[in-house]
Protein backbone atom coordinates (compact mmCIF):
# COMPACT_ATOMS: atom_id res chain seq x y z
CA UNK A 1 0.00 0.00 0.00
CA UNK A 2 1.10 3.57 -0.71
CA UNK A 3 0.41 5.77 2.31
CA UNK A 4 0.70 9.55 2.80
CA UNK A 5 0.93 10.92 6.35
CA UNK A 6 0.33 14.65 6.81
CA UNK A 7 2.75 15.15 9.70
CA UNK A 8 4.46 11.83 10.35
CA UNK A 9 7.58 12.85 12.27
CA UNK A 10 6.18 13.33 15.81
CA UNK A 11 4.54 11.04 18.36
CA UNK A 12 1.44 9.44 16.72
CA UNK A 13 2.41 10.16 13.12
CA UNK A 14 5.88 8.77 13.80
CA UNK A 15 4.47 5.54 15.23
CA UNK A 16 2.22 5.21 12.20
CA UNK A 17 5.11 5.76 9.78
CA UNK A 18 7.21 3.15 11.58
CA UNK A 19 4.41 0.54 11.81
CA UNK A 20 3.55 1.07 8.13
CA UNK A 21 7.18 0.64 7.05
CA UNK A 22 7.51 -2.46 9.25
CA UNK A 23 4.42 -3.90 7.56
CA UNK A 24 6.06 -3.39 4.14
CA UNK A 25 4.07 -0.34 2.99
CA UNK A 26 5.49 2.59 1.02
CA UNK A 27 5.25 5.72 3.18
CA UNK A 28 5.38 9.39 2.20
CA UNK A 29 5.41 12.02 4.95
CA UNK A 30 4.58 15.69 4.42
CA UNK A 31 5.85 18.16 7.03
CA UNK A 32 8.00 21.29 7.38
CA UNK A 33 11.04 19.49 8.78
CA UNK A 34 10.91 21.48 12.04
CA UNK A 35 9.67 19.23 14.80
CA UNK A 36 11.73 16.06 14.46
CA UNK A 37 13.71 14.13 11.88
CA UNK A 38 11.63 11.77 9.74
CA UNK A 39 11.66 8.02 10.35
CA UNK A 40 14.42 6.48 8.22
CA UNK A 41 12.94 4.78 5.18
CA UNK A 42 10.07 7.19 4.46
CA UNK A 43 9.86 9.41 1.39
CA UNK A 44 9.87 13.03 2.66
CA UNK A 45 8.04 15.87 1.02
CA UNK A 46 8.81 19.15 2.74
CA UNK A 47 6.11 21.78 2.92
CA UNK A 48 3.55 23.67 4.97
CA UNK A 49 -0.05 22.43 4.93
CA UNK A 50 -1.15 26.07 5.26
CA UNK A 51 0.43 26.87 1.86
CA UNK A 52 -1.60 26.23 -1.30
CA UNK A 53 1.52 25.95 -3.55
CA UNK A 54 3.06 23.43 -1.12
CA UNK A 55 -0.15 21.35 -1.23
CA UNK A 56 -0.03 21.54 -5.03
CA UNK A 57 3.55 20.19 -5.03
CA UNK A 58 2.45 17.43 -2.65
CA UNK A 59 -0.49 16.44 -4.87
CA UNK A 60 1.95 16.01 -7.77
CA UNK A 61 3.71 13.26 -5.73
CA UNK A 62 0.54 11.08 -5.61
CA UNK A 63 -1.44 8.97 -5.98
CA UNK A 64 -1.77 7.09 -2.69
CA UNK A 65 -4.07 4.37 -1.45
CA UNK A 66 -4.77 6.37 1.71
CA UNK A 67 -3.94 9.66 3.37
CA UNK A 68 -3.71 9.83 7.16
CA UNK A 69 -4.00 13.33 8.59
CA UNK A 70 -2.47 13.35 12.08
CA UNK A 71 -1.85 17.10 12.24
CA UNK A 72 -5.21 18.71 11.47
CA UNK A 73 -6.71 21.05 14.05
CA UNK A 74 -8.62 23.72 12.06
CA UNK A 75 -11.46 22.94 9.60
CA UNK A 76 -10.32 25.57 7.06
CA UNK A 77 -6.80 24.12 7.01
CA UNK A 78 -7.96 20.50 6.85
CA UNK A 79 -10.42 21.42 4.11
CA UNK A 80 -7.60 22.88 2.00
CA UNK A 81 -5.63 19.59 2.27
CA UNK A 82 -8.69 17.47 1.52
CA UNK A 83 -9.57 19.43 -1.61
CA UNK A 84 -5.98 19.60 -2.87
CA UNK A 85 -5.57 15.82 -2.50
CA UNK A 86 -9.10 14.54 -3.25
CA UNK A 87 -8.09 13.13 -6.65
CA UNK A 88 -4.92 11.58 -5.33
CA UNK A 89 -6.14 9.00 -2.83
CA UNK A 90 -8.79 6.37 -2.27
CA UNK A 91 -9.32 7.16 1.43
CA UNK A 92 -8.76 9.97 3.94
CA UNK A 93 -8.25 9.08 7.61
CA UNK A 94 -8.59 11.97 10.03
CA UNK A 95 -7.09 11.64 13.52
CA UNK A 96 -9.72 13.19 15.76
CA UNK A 97 -10.31 13.07 19.51
CA UNK A 98 -12.89 12.14 22.13
CA UNK A 99 -12.96 15.87 22.90
CA UNK A 100 -15.49 16.11 20.01
CA UNK A 101 -18.02 14.87 22.58
CA UNK A 102 -19.09 17.86 24.73
CA UNK A 103 -20.19 15.45 27.48
CA UNK A 104 -16.67 14.02 27.87
CA UNK A 105 -15.32 13.55 30.58
CA UNK A 106 -18.42 14.28 32.69
CA UNK A 107 -20.55 11.36 31.46
CA UNK A 108 -19.89 7.98 29.79
CA UNK A 109 -19.41 8.18 26.01
CA UNK A 110 -21.06 5.93 23.43
CA UNK A 111 -21.37 6.19 19.65
CA UNK A 112 -24.76 7.84 20.23
CA UNK A 113 -23.31 10.67 22.34
CA UNK A 114 -23.79 14.15 20.85
CA UNK A 115 -20.87 15.78 19.03
CA UNK A 116 -19.93 19.48 19.09
CA UNK A 117 -21.65 21.53 16.42
CA UNK A 118 -18.97 23.22 14.30
CA UNK A 119 -18.99 24.52 10.75
CA UNK A 120 -16.80 22.57 8.29
CA UNK A 121 -15.46 25.95 7.21
CA UNK A 122 -14.55 27.22 10.71
CA UNK A 123 -11.34 29.13 11.28
CA UNK A 124 -8.89 28.88 14.16
CA UNK A 125 -10.80 31.29 16.40
CA UNK A 126 -14.21 29.68 15.95
CA UNK A 127 -14.03 27.20 18.82
CA UNK A 128 -11.95 25.23 21.27
CA UNK A 129 -9.91 22.13 20.45
CA UNK A 130 -12.78 19.62 20.56
CA UNK A 131 -15.20 21.89 18.69
CA UNK A 132 -12.73 22.55 15.87
CA UNK A 133 -11.88 18.84 15.61
CA UNK A 134 -15.61 18.16 15.09
CA UNK A 135 -15.59 20.73 12.26
CA UNK A 136 -12.51 19.01 10.76
CA UNK A 137 -14.37 15.68 10.76
CA UNK A 138 -17.23 17.37 8.91
CA UNK A 139 -15.10 18.94 6.21
CA UNK A 140 -13.45 15.58 5.51
CA UNK A 141 -16.86 13.90 5.14
CA UNK A 142 -18.12 16.75 2.93
CA UNK A 143 -15.12 17.06 0.62
CA UNK A 144 -13.94 13.43 0.58
CA UNK A 145 -17.42 11.87 0.49
CA UNK A 146 -17.87 8.16 1.08
CA UNK A 147 -14.14 7.64 1.62
CA UNK A 148 -13.60 9.36 4.99
CA UNK A 149 -12.72 7.70 8.29
CA UNK A 150 -12.41 9.64 11.58
CA UNK A 151 -10.74 8.06 14.59
CA UNK A 152 -11.86 9.68 17.84
CA UNK A 153 -8.85 8.98 20.02
CA UNK A 154 -8.60 8.72 23.78
CA UNK A 155 -5.46 9.54 25.77
CA UNK A 156 -2.31 8.51 23.88
CA UNK A 157 0.86 7.21 25.51
CA UNK A 158 3.99 5.53 24.18
CA UNK A 159 7.56 6.14 22.99
CA UNK A 160 8.31 9.59 21.51
CA UNK A 161 5.52 11.18 23.57
CA UNK A 162 5.95 14.91 23.02
CA UNK A 163 3.09 15.98 25.29
CA UNK A 164 4.99 15.26 28.53
CA UNK A 165 2.57 13.16 30.61
CA UNK A 166 4.16 9.75 31.04
CA UNK A 167 7.67 11.21 30.69
CA UNK A 168 6.94 13.51 33.69
CA UNK A 169 5.98 10.52 35.85
CA UNK A 170 8.94 8.43 34.70
CA UNK A 171 11.49 11.20 35.16
CA UNK A 172 10.19 12.07 38.64
CA UNK A 173 10.24 8.46 39.80
CA UNK A 174 13.65 7.92 38.21
CA UNK A 175 14.99 10.80 40.36
CA UNK A 176 15.26 8.34 43.25
CA UNK A 177 17.71 6.11 41.42
CA UNK A 178 18.17 2.58 42.78
CA UNK A 179 18.94 3.60 46.40
CA UNK A 180 17.53 7.03 47.36
CA UNK A 181 14.48 6.88 49.65
CA UNK A 182 12.46 9.47 47.72
CA UNK A 183 8.87 10.17 48.71
CA UNK A 184 6.76 10.66 45.57
CA UNK A 185 3.24 12.07 45.68
CA UNK A 186 0.67 9.63 44.31
CA UNK A 187 -2.81 11.14 43.87
CA UNK A 188 -6.02 9.56 45.13
CA UNK A 189 -6.58 5.84 45.13
CA UNK A 190 -4.21 3.24 43.62
CA UNK A 191 -7.30 1.44 42.29
CA UNK A 192 -8.50 4.39 40.13
CA UNK A 193 -9.19 3.01 36.65
CA UNK A 194 -7.19 3.95 33.55
CA UNK A 195 -7.62 3.18 29.85
CA UNK A 196 -4.98 5.06 27.87
CA UNK A 197 -3.91 3.70 24.48
CA UNK A 198 -0.43 3.13 23.04
CA UNK A 199 0.20 5.03 19.79
CA UNK A 200 1.56 1.82 18.26
CA UNK A 201 -1.80 0.12 18.86
CA UNK A 202 -3.56 3.03 17.14
CA UNK A 203 -1.12 2.73 14.24
CA UNK A 204 -1.85 -0.99 13.82
CA UNK A 205 -5.59 -0.39 14.06
CA UNK A 206 -5.38 2.40 11.46
CA UNK A 207 -3.56 0.21 8.95
CA UNK A 208 -6.12 -2.56 9.49
CA UNK A 209 -9.00 -0.09 9.16
CA UNK A 210 -7.65 1.19 5.84
CA UNK A 211 -7.26 -2.40 4.63
CA UNK A 212 -10.89 -3.13 5.51
CA UNK A 213 -12.12 0.07 3.85
CA UNK A 214 -13.76 1.36 7.05
CA UNK A 215 -15.51 4.72 6.85
CA UNK A 216 -17.33 6.97 9.32
CA UNK A 217 -16.37 7.73 12.93
CA UNK A 218 -14.81 5.19 15.33
CA UNK A 219 -13.97 5.73 18.99
CA UNK A 220 -10.47 4.40 19.63
CA UNK A 221 -9.21 4.25 23.22
CA UNK A 222 -7.79 1.70 25.62
CA UNK A 223 -10.12 -1.31 25.66
CA UNK A 224 -11.81 -2.81 28.73
CA UNK A 225 -9.64 -5.92 28.17
CA UNK A 226 -6.47 -3.94 28.84
CA UNK A 227 -7.88 -1.64 31.53
CA UNK A 228 -5.39 -0.76 34.23
CA UNK A 229 -5.18 1.36 37.37
CA UNK A 230 -3.24 4.42 38.49
CA UNK A 231 -1.43 2.24 41.02
CA UNK A 232 -0.32 -0.15 38.29
CA UNK A 233 0.84 2.80 36.19
CA UNK A 234 3.07 4.19 38.94
CA UNK A 235 4.32 0.73 39.90
CA UNK A 236 5.21 0.11 36.24
CA UNK A 237 7.21 3.38 36.31
CA UNK A 238 9.10 2.15 39.39
CA UNK A 239 9.82 -1.21 37.77
CA UNK A 240 10.86 0.29 34.42
CA UNK A 241 13.26 2.81 35.98
CA UNK A 242 14.57 0.46 38.70
CA UNK A 243 13.80 3.20 41.19
CA UNK A 244 13.72 3.07 44.99
CA UNK A 245 10.99 5.75 45.04
CA UNK A 246 8.32 5.35 47.73
CA UNK A 247 4.76 6.21 46.67
CA UNK A 248 2.76 8.19 49.21
CA UNK A 249 -0.95 8.17 48.32
CA UNK A 250 -2.62 11.49 49.03
CA UNK A 251 -6.38 11.68 49.43
CA UNK A 252 -8.32 12.92 46.38
CA UNK A 253 -10.64 15.16 48.43
CA UNK A 254 -7.63 16.78 50.07
CA UNK A 255 -6.05 17.42 46.64
CA UNK A 256 -9.29 18.86 45.30
CA UNK A 257 -9.01 21.67 47.85
CA UNK A 258 -5.37 22.46 47.10
CA UNK A 259 -3.96 24.73 44.42
CA UNK A 260 -2.92 21.84 42.19
CA UNK A 261 -4.05 20.97 38.64
CA UNK A 262 -5.33 17.50 37.96
CA UNK A 263 -4.30 16.04 34.54
CA UNK A 264 -1.27 18.34 34.10
CA UNK A 265 0.51 18.78 37.45
CA UNK A 266 -0.83 15.37 38.42
CA UNK A 267 -0.38 13.73 35.02
CA UNK A 268 -3.08 11.41 33.64
CA UNK A 269 -5.11 11.80 36.87
CA UNK A 270 -8.62 13.19 37.25
CA UNK A 271 -10.34 13.26 40.66
CA UNK A 272 -13.34 10.98 41.26
CA UNK A 273 -16.59 12.31 39.84
CA UNK A 274 -15.55 12.57 36.20
CA UNK A 275 -15.39 9.47 34.01
CA UNK A 276 -12.70 10.02 31.37
CA UNK A 277 -12.20 6.29 30.84
CA UNK A 278 -15.88 5.36 30.35
CA UNK A 279 -15.69 5.26 26.58
CA UNK A 280 -17.39 2.61 24.43
CA UNK A 281 -14.78 1.15 22.07
CA UNK A 282 -16.80 -1.91 21.05
CA UNK A 283 -17.10 -0.96 17.34
CA UNK A 284 -13.35 -0.48 17.05
CA UNK A 285 -12.76 -3.76 18.91
CA UNK A 286 -15.07 -5.55 16.48
CA UNK A 287 -13.00 -4.03 13.66
CA UNK A 288 -9.75 -5.36 15.15
CA UNK A 289 -8.59 -2.94 17.86
CA UNK A 290 -6.21 -4.74 20.24
CA UNK A 291 -4.22 -3.04 22.98
CA UNK A 292 -1.00 -4.05 24.68
CA UNK A 293 -0.61 -4.03 28.49
CA UNK A 294 0.14 -0.63 30.02
CA UNK A 295 3.36 -1.95 31.62
CA UNK A 296 4.77 -2.59 28.12
CA UNK A 297 3.98 1.00 27.09
CA UNK A 298 5.68 2.30 30.25
CA UNK A 299 8.72 0.05 29.77
CA UNK A 300 9.18 1.05 26.12
CA UNK A 301 8.65 4.75 26.84
CA UNK A 302 11.38 4.58 29.48
CA UNK A 303 13.66 2.69 27.09
CA UNK A 304 13.18 5.54 24.60
CA UNK A 305 13.67 8.32 27.19
CA UNK A 306 16.75 6.73 28.74
CA UNK A 307 18.45 5.86 25.44
CA UNK A 308 21.90 7.24 24.60
CA UNK A 309 23.14 7.33 28.19
CA UNK A 310 20.39 9.68 29.28
CA UNK A 311 21.07 12.28 26.58
CA UNK A 312 17.46 12.16 25.41
CA UNK A 313 16.35 12.71 29.01
CA UNK A 314 18.46 15.83 29.37
CA UNK A 315 17.23 17.34 26.12
CA UNK A 316 13.61 16.24 26.45
CA UNK A 317 11.28 19.20 25.84
CA UNK A 318 7.56 18.46 26.22
CA UNK A 319 4.89 20.60 24.54
CA UNK A 320 3.60 21.67 27.98
CA UNK A 321 5.10 21.34 31.43
CA UNK A 322 3.62 18.36 33.27
CA UNK A 323 4.18 17.08 36.77
CA UNK A 324 4.78 18.84 40.08
CA UNK A 325 7.74 21.08 40.78
CA UNK A 326 9.76 19.81 43.74
CA UNK A 327 8.79 22.92 45.76
CA UNK A 328 5.10 22.34 45.13
CA UNK A 329 5.30 18.65 45.95
CA UNK A 330 7.10 19.49 49.22
CA UNK A 331 4.42 22.08 50.12
CA UNK A 332 1.62 19.62 49.34
CA UNK A 333 3.23 16.96 51.53
CA UNK A 334 3.63 19.50 54.36
CA UNK A 335 -0.08 20.38 54.14
CA UNK A 336 -1.08 16.71 53.84
CA UNK A 337 1.03 15.69 56.86
CA UNK A 338 -0.51 18.54 58.88
CA UNK A 339 -4.01 17.53 57.79
CA UNK A 340 -3.38 13.94 58.90
CA UNK A 341 -1.99 14.93 62.31
CA UNK A 342 -4.77 15.39 64.93
CA UNK A 343 -4.81 18.95 66.30
CA UNK A 344 -3.93 19.47 70.00
CA UNK A 345 -7.48 20.64 70.79
CA UNK A 346 -8.95 17.48 69.29
CA UNK A 347 -6.56 15.22 71.21
CA UNK A 348 -7.98 14.48 74.69
CA UNK A 349 -4.57 13.27 75.89
CA UNK A 350 -2.93 16.68 75.37
N1 LIG B 1 -2.03 13.36 22.73
C1 LIG B 1 -3.20 12.82 23.02
O1 LIG B 1 -3.40 12.26 24.11
C2 LIG B 1 -4.31 12.88 21.97
C3 LIG B 1 -5.57 12.46 22.33
C4 LIG B 1 -6.58 12.45 21.36
C5 LIG B 1 -6.29 12.82 20.05
N2 LIG B 1 -5.03 13.25 19.73
C6 LIG B 1 -4.75 13.63 18.33
O2 LIG B 1 -3.69 12.83 17.87
C7 LIG B 1 -2.92 13.55 16.91
C8 LIG B 1 -1.47 13.58 17.39
O3 LIG B 1 -0.68 13.68 16.30
P1 LIG B 1 0.93 13.65 16.38
O4 LIG B 1 1.37 13.06 17.64
O5 LIG B 1 1.43 13.03 15.12
O6 LIG B 1 1.35 15.17 16.49
P2 LIG B 1 0.86 16.55 15.91
O7 LIG B 1 1.44 17.52 16.83
O8 LIG B 1 -0.53 16.69 15.64
O9 LIG B 1 1.58 16.64 14.48
C9 LIG B 1 2.90 16.96 14.41
C10 LIG B 1 3.37 16.63 12.98
O10 LIG B 1 2.76 17.48 12.03
C11 LIG B 1 3.74 18.27 11.34
N3 LIG B 1 3.18 19.61 11.13
C12 LIG B 1 2.77 20.48 12.07
N4 LIG B 1 2.34 21.62 11.48
C13 LIG B 1 2.48 21.44 10.13
C14 LIG B 1 2.21 22.24 9.00
N5 LIG B 1 1.72 23.49 9.10
N6 LIG B 1 2.46 21.73 7.77
C15 LIG B 1 2.97 20.49 7.63
N7 LIG B 1 3.25 19.67 8.67
C16 LIG B 1 3.01 20.15 9.91
C17 LIG B 1 4.92 18.24 12.29
O11 LIG B 1 6.15 18.42 11.61
P3 LIG B 1 6.79 19.88 11.38
O12 LIG B 1 6.57 20.69 12.63
O13 LIG B 1 8.22 19.57 11.12
O14 LIG B 1 6.10 20.47 10.20
C18 LIG B 1 4.85 16.82 12.85
O15 LIG B 1 5.33 15.88 11.92
C19 LIG B 1 -3.52 14.94 16.83
O16 LIG B 1 -4.38 15.01 15.73
C20 LIG B 1 -4.30 15.06 18.14
O17 LIG B 1 -5.39 15.93 18.03
C21 LIG B 1 -4.04 13.28 20.65
Amino acid sequence: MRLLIIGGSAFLGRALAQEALDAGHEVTVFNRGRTAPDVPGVRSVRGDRESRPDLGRLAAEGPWDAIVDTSGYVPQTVGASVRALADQAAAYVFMSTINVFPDWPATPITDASPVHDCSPDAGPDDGDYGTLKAGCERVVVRDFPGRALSLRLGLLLGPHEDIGRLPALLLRIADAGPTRDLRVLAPGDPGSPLRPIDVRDIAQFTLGAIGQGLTGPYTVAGTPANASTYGELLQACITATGSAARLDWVDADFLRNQDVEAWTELPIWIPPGEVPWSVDTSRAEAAGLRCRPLRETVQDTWAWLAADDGQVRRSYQPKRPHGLSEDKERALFAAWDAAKTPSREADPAS
Side-chain angles (χ1 to χ4, degrees):
M1 169 166 78
R2 279 169 59 86
L3 188 71
L4 167 64
I5 306 174
I6 305 182
S9 60
F11 190 28
L12 173 60
R14 185 174 197 88
L16 181 63
Q18 189 64 63
E19 292 289 334
L21 287 173
D22 292 349
H25 301 303
E26 195 182 313
V27 181
T28 304
V29 298
F30 175 68
N31 60 53
R32 299 163 300 180
R34 287 187 199 166
T35 299
D38 291 328
V39 174
V42 300
R43 193 162 132 242
S44 304
V45 179
R46 290 278 170 261
D48 189 333
R49 65 179 302 162
E50 312 248 2
S51 151
R52 200 180 285 250
D54 287 1
L55 288 173
R57 269 195 308 108
L58 174 62
E61 302 282 334
W64 297 275
D65 296 295
I67 298 168
V68 184
D69 187 344
T70 62
S71 60
Y73 295 91
V74 178
Q76 279 172 1
T77 309
V78 171
S81 317
V82 170
R83 289 186 291 278
L85 301 169
D87 296 335
Q88 295 301 326
Y92 198 102
V93 183
F94 180 69
M95 291 299 183
S96 189
T97 169
I98 53 175
N99 291 70
V100 297
F101 298 110
D103 293 343
W104 183 87
T107 61
I109 295 302
T110 70
D111 288 325
S113 298
V115 169
H116 277 297
D117 188 18
C118 179
S119 160
D121 299 311
D125 301 326
D126 292 334
D128 60 13
Y129 168 63
T131 305
L132 292 176
K133 282 287 211 182
C136 294
E137 289 187 6
R138 282 187 191 144
V139 75
V140 177
V141 169
R142 186 188 71 187
D143 294 348
F144 222 95
R147 299 173 292 158
L149 170 67
S150 289
L151 303 184
R152 295 169 172 166
L153 308 177
L155 179 85
L156 317 183
L157 297 179
H160 296 274
E161 187 199 317
D162 52 2
I163 311 294
R165 297 178 174 123
L166 182 52
L169 294 176
L170 281 162
L171 293 171
R172 176 63 184 138
I173 283 173
D175 278 344
T179 54
R180 189 172 149 216
D181 180 28
L182 179 70
R183 187 184 184 197
V184 170
L185 191 148
D189 177 348
S192 317
L194 275 188
R195 277 172 55 195
I197 184 165
D198 191 302
V199 279
R200 295 166 296 177
D201 294 327
I202 296 176
Q204 286 174 5
F205 176 75
T206 304
L207 296 174
I210 294 168
Q212 295 172 67
L214 297 187
T215 56
Y218 279 77
T219 301
V220 180
T223 60
N226 83 312
S228 188
T229 64
Y230 207 85
E232 286 167 358
L233 170 68
L234 294 187
Q235 193 51 52
C237 291
I238 289 176
T239 304
T241 56
S243 161
R246 185 167 39 90
L247 302 177
D248 199 334
W249 292 91
V250 175
D251 185 64
D253 284 334
F254 168 83
L255 288 171
R256 218 192 284 268
N257 296 319
Q258 303 299 309
D259 174 27
V260 60
E261 261 184 41
W263 201 246
T264 48
E265 286 183 300
L266 302 171
I268 319 177
W269 184 77
I270 286 188
E274 298 198 318
V275 286
W277 314 107
S278 295
V279 177
D280 182 4
T281 51
S282 52
R283 280 183 73 233
E285 288 169 64
L289 177 64
R290 299 290 176 271
C291 296
R292 69 198 68 207
L294 181 57
R295 65 174 179 284
E296 187 180 322
T297 301
V298 172
Q299 182 69 49
D300 293 350
T301 304
W302 178 247
W304 160 68
L305 268 177
D308 301 331
D309 286 337
Q311 283 207 14
V312 176
R313 280 184 57 183
R314 281 196 290 278
S315 63
Y316 178 70
Q317 289 287 342
K319 277 186 181 165
R320 285 186 62 183
H322 283 81
L324 287 168
S325 70
E326 284 190 32
D327 283 351
K328 192 148 185 183
E329 190 180 46
R330 204 175 301 118
L332 282 168
F333 269 138
W336 172 235
D337 291 342
K340 283 190 304 182
T341 308
S343 69
R344 293 179 72 82
E345 296 79 42
D347 182 354
S350 64

